[in-house]
Amino acid sequence: MKPADTAPSVLSDLIATRESPHRPGLADRKSRVRAGRREPAGSSEQRSLFGEILDWMFAPLLLLWPLSVAVTFLVARSLADAPFDRSLSDRTLVLLEHVKSEAVAPAHEPIAVTASHLLQGDEQARVYFQVLDVDGALIAGDAGFPRPRLYDFPEVGRVKLRNVIMHGMEFRVAYSHLLKMSATGEPSGRWMLVQVGETLERRSQLANEIIKGVIFPQFLILPLALGLVWFGLSRGLAPLQWLQHGIRTRRPDDLSPIDPRGAPEEIAPLVDAFNDLLVRQALSLDAQKRFIADAAHQMKTPLAGLRTQAELAMRETDPKQLQRSLVQLVRSAARTAHLVNQLLSLARTENLRGAAAMEPVDLRALVRTLAAEWADEALKRHIDFGVEDDGAAAPISGQPILLREMVGNLVDNALRHTPERGVVTVRSRTGTDEVVLEVEDDGSGIPPSERAMVFERFYRMTDAPGDGSGLGLSIVREIATQHGARVEVDDGIAWPPGRGHGAGTRISVRFPRVTT
């Protein structure tokens, strides 16, 4: 996929917060991104951060607002009842005092007449009263008043309040008891009852006025509050929009990190993760460019040689010379095929970095299997090829395909740099904490000054024999790194007396041992 195609997908995945204005081709790109991306479980479409915040703010508000109205109504009704209850209690006490004085010294005016003056109603509320004798006989007033509850015991001088239904309407009733005196002026132990009740119209009217004064401003304030919340969220999410715009307008080849200073603190981890992705993407692209450049450079020479040899063979008329040219052509083709295979192996190994599935592997058994496969090649080169181990299992955690590639490259490298009648030994050893793989030979050897450079791609020593590609040890180091192993280069088997003074090469790969 081209870099220009990947930028919108990364942006859509990481920082899309609100639905962006329509742009030509944007919907098509989003549809392609979603088609190629696994949606999280339970998610069928892209969610809006702006919408999520509004939902979580407005949903509780819409639920609490009716509750607020109900609480306001109850509070308003309580506030409305308080002054009317005081007035009703005061009038009850006045009527009670009049009944008390009437019981001591009868007045010129009957209780009913006095009460009608004290308890005048109006068009909005009607007032009723009742005075009962100690025997429950009606002295004055309305007989429809219900009696207090059975266990509502009389208390001298205390006015009590209750709601009752009378004449098909709800009344607020204030009532009190009067202890009747005997002829001698002593308490008789018998009680008179005085009740005053009024309808609830005026109370309801006052409560409604209070509610209107409280609720109506809310209807004006609520839209304003919603507008302010909307504006605040838009301003708060503006840095995300700027960040989104900055990434969308980037050139496809611009992989420089995003400046996190302009982003909100809450999305700083997201910006850091995105920058880390850009760094890894840049490293991957650099590796691809370097690989392509190296491959093109290395392939240029053998391909040019193949073409030259083919042209020479076409001009040959001598059958023997033609045969020699064709043999040389076949050898060059084999070297070129080996180089291509090494390039593909290196590319495959690097692509598996961090993605290879590890499993328990017995390195001793793997080495013995691979050594049997290389025995024929060693016989063709007249090389003494052997395998040694300590007889113990060599458990490691690894990827079998990559391990086979690594051992194959070590053996191939040793066979290519070892002369005829030389010695190559593959060895595995199991220690307490590590498993060691060694490939040792008595070939040309590697000088200490060049041992760090032989792991670089396409590096070959100037006087190195053989026709290697310079990629074998690069592949070995890459695979070892992926397995958490380290590679060491030392002197190998000493040269035989007839070849002079020197030693071959021993390459050791040290793996962490896995406890079985």
Side-chain angles (χ1 to χ4, degrees):
M1 181 178 291
K2 297 179 181 179
D5 294 334
T6 59
S9 65
V10 173
L11 175 64
S12 300
D13 286 341
L14 294 180
I15 64 168
T17 58
R18 295 174 61 186
E19 293 185 2
S20 303
H22 178 72
R23 302 178 185 176
L26 181 59
D28 296 336
R29 289 200 299 271
K30 286 186 176 180
S31 63
R32 289 199 299 270
V33 169
R34 291 172 182 169
R37 184 178 72 230
R38 292 184 60 187
E39 294 288 347
S43 176
S44 59
E45 60 181 9
Q46 192 175 27
R47 303 297 299 273
S48 167
L49 178 60
F50 189 84
E52 287 283 337
I53 296 176
L54 288 179
D55 288 345
W56 284 104
M57 291 185 64
F58 290 160
L61 182 61
L62 294 177
L63 291 176
L64 291 176
W65 190 69
L67 179 62
S68 173
V69 172
V71 172
T72 301
F73 175 78
L74 295 177
V75 172
R77 191 60 185 263
S78 176
L79 293 175
D81 282 343
F84 287 104
D85 284 347
R86 286 195 298 269
S87 175
L88 187 62
S89 298
D90 291 341
R91 287 187 286 181
T92 303
L93 289 174
V94 171
L95 181 60
L96 186 67
E97 290 296 325
H98 183 75
V99 172
K100 182 177 180 181
S101 62
E102 178 73 17
V104 175
H108 299 288
E109 199 172 59
I111 294 177
V113 177
T114 304
S116 63
H117 295 301
L118 291 175
L119 308 176
Q120 289 183 358
D122 54 29
E123 296 179 356
Q124 295 181 343
R126 285 175 284 181
V127 181
Y128 294 82
F129 75 97
Q130 181 188 70
V131 178
L132 297 181
D133 196 358
V134 293
D135 298 324
L138 180 66
I139 297 176
D142 194 306
F145 273 90
R147 300 289 296 271
R149 294 188 300 271
L150 178 63
Y151 297 102
D152 188 359
F153 300 107
E155 297 181 37
V156 177
R158 180 182 176 187
V159 178
K160 300 180 181 180
L161 297 165
R162 73 182 194 277
N163 285 14
V164 301
I165 302 297
M166 184 173 63
H167 304 308
M169 296 181 291
E170 186 176 6
F171 281 76
R172 183 71 166 169
V173 175
Y175 62 98
S176 183
H177 292 82
L178 175 65
L179 183 62
K180 189 173 184 179
M181 299 296 178
S182 62
T184 60
E186 296 295 330
S188 65
R190 305 180 70 183
W191 297 89
M192 299 177 64
L193 175 63
V194 176
Q195 298 189 94
V196 179
E198 67 176 357
T199 56
L200 305 182
E201 287 85 353
R202 287 189 297 179
R203 298 168 182 260
S204 299
Q205 182 180 3
L206 179 59
N208 291 336
E209 293 296 331
I210 296 175
I211 292 174
K212 290 177 182 179
V214 175
I215 297 299
F216 282 174
Q218 293 186 12
F219 282 103
L220 300 177
I221 294 174
L222 186 60
L224 179 61
L226 296 181
L228 292 176
V229 169
W230 186 283
F231 176 76
L233 282 178
S234 299
R235 296 294 299 171
L237 295 177
L240 293 181
Q241 297 297 317
W242 299 334
L243 183 62
Q244 182 185 45
H245 176 73
I247 296 179
R248 283 193 184 278
T249 56
R250 277 193 168 203
R251 300 190 314 274
D253 58 344
D254 184 5
L255 296 178
S256 59
I258 300 172
D259 186 3
R261 290 176 296 180
E265 181 180 356
E266 289 75 12
I267 67 167
L270 178 63
V271 175
D272 292 339
F274 188 73
N275 285 337
D276 181 63
L277 176 63
L278 290 178
V279 170
R280 287 184 277 123
Q281 185 74 8
L283 292 176
S284 177
L285 290 176
D286 289 342
Q288 291 179 16
K289 292 177 181 178
R290 187 171 63 251
F291 177 81
I292 293 173
D294 292 343
H297 175 74
Q298 294 297 321
M299 291 295 295
K300 184 186 302 182
T301 300
L303 289 177
L306 283 173
R307 179 177 178 179
T308 301
Q309 291 169 8
E311 291 175 349
L312 289 175
M314 292 174 63
R315 290 196 295 267
E316 284 291 346
T317 57
D318 185 1
K320 292 183 180 180
Q321 291 294 334
L322 178 60
Q323 181 67 23
R324 282 195 295 270
S325 296
L326 292 177
V327 170
Q328 187 64 30
L329 187 62
V330 170
R331 290 176 180 173
S332 297
R335 287 194 298 269
T336 304
H338 176 69
L339 174 60
V340 172
N341 289 333
Q342 292 287 76
L343 287 171
L344 293 176
S345 177
L346 180 60
R348 181 171 60 250
T349 302
E350 290 182 341
N351 287 335
L352 287 176
R353 184 180 300 167
M358 300 297 178
E359 59 184 70
V361 177
D362 185 358
L363 186 62
R364 172 177 174 269
L366 180 65
V367 167
R368 286 192 165 274
T369 301
L370 292 176
E373 297 177 3
W374 282 93
D376 290 342
E377 183 65 24
L379 288 176
K380 292 179 183 179
R381 296 173 180 265
H382 305 286
I383 293 176
D384 181 5
F385 180 64
V387 180
E388 298 178 358
D389 58 60
D390 54 8
I396 64 172
S397 177
Q399 216 290 329
I401 296 177
L402 295 181
L403 292 175
R404 289 176 64 91
E405 188 74 30
M406 182 184 67
V407 176
N409 274 280
L410 287 173
V411 175
D412 179 67
N413 190 69
L415 293 178
R416 287 178 181 274
H417 294 84
T418 300
E420 289 189 3
R421 292 182 296 278
V423 178
V424 174
T425 303
V426 183
R427 184 181 301 112
S428 65
R429 294 185 289 107
T430 304
T432 304
D433 300 321
E434 63 180 7
V435 172
V436 182
L437 168 67
E438 295 179 348
V439 178
E440 189 175 24
D441 61 61
D442 63 349
S444 57
I446 302 175
S449 60
E450 298 188 54
R451 289 176 181 174
M453 294 183 288
V454 295
F455 295 101
E456 299 297 327
R457 296 178 180 181
F458 305 109
Y459 180 80
R460 297 193 68 211
M461 294 183 296
T462 305
D463 57 348
D467 52 359
S469 62
L471 290 173
L473 292 181
S474 297
I475 297 173
V476 169
R477 183 178 63 176
E478 177 66 28
I479 296 175
T481 301
Q482 294 186 28
H483 286 77
R486 65 181 189 275
V487 185
E488 300 173 354
V489 181
D490 299 294
D491 289 336
I493 302 171
W495 290 349
R499 288 173 53 193
H501 297 286
T505 303
R506 180 174 71 243
I507 297 181
S508 305
V509 185
R510 300 180 179 274
F511 296 89
R513 180 180 177 181
V514 176
T515 303
T516 56

